[in-house]
Amino acid sequence: MANMDEMTVALAQRGQTGSVASIRDHTIVMDRPSPHGGSDAGPMGGETLLASVGGCFMSTLYAAAQARSIPIEGASCRVTGVFAPNPRRFGAIRIEVTCDSCPSADLEHLVEVADRGCLVAATLRQGIEVTASVAAPHSSADDSASSSTEPAARPEQTIARLN
């Protein structure tokens, strides 16, 4: 059973500029577009972040509709990241939801519920420390018998604090 206190996604290099993320039984290829030095094998990380915000938001909205027996079909959302400078990042993210089959008052309520319940949006709103470190090298069973039981030192560097 998975650890409910954390979630991990593994990524591996794909080609010279891309990465492939392994998520349960799914994969997502990410890369830079050709004009930015990539091979355009998939969306950029920022685009994937916006898709994650939208996917989480809509999943939460669908769950809220189901829990309230509100029929919803043909819903969609548009997620826009507004850039901020120095360092270049998203300074704001806007989510706009449409649904022709859902009465306006119901849709407004569902959007409010999803806005409070979306894990990704809540994480971004609260800010989060992001760190990067060099992982200890993987060792074979033979190496582990002779290696020290002390954990390897891992220098960490804070990359960003999102607020």
Side-chain angles (χ1 to χ4, degrees), residues 13-130:
Q13 184 174 358
R14 178 168 180 185
Q16 292 300 306
T17 60
S19 295
V20 61
S22 298
I23 307 164
R24 293 180 289 134
D25 293 333
H26 310 283
T27 57
I28 299 173
V29 176
M30 290 173 280
D31 197 0
R32 292 177 176 262
S34 300
H36 294 237
S39 59
D40 204 16
M44 295 183 295
E47 293 165 323
T48 306
L49 174 67
L50 296 177
S52 295
V53 170
C56 181
F57 190 91
M58 293 301 282
S59 176
T60 306
L61 184 129
Y62 301 146
Q66 185 176 24
R68 290 158 181 78
S69 299
I70 298 173
I72 188 166
E73 287 188 33
S76 64
C77 79
R78 183 178 184 93
V79 182
T80 303
V82 179
F83 290 111
N86 301 326
R88 184 170 164 90
R89 65 196 184 286
F90 292 127
I93 296 176
R94 293 189 309 265
I95 305 167
E96 298 170 301
V97 180
T98 60
C99 182
D100 294 336
S101 71
C102 190
S104 180
D106 286 344
L107 183 59
E108 286 179 22
H109 179 67
L110 293 174
V111 167
E112 288 174 15
V113 171
D115 197 33
R116 288 191 310 265
C118 173
L119 172 83
V120 176
T123 300
L124 293 172
R125 281 190 187 106
Q126 293 298 312
I128 183 171
E129 184 177 326
V130 178

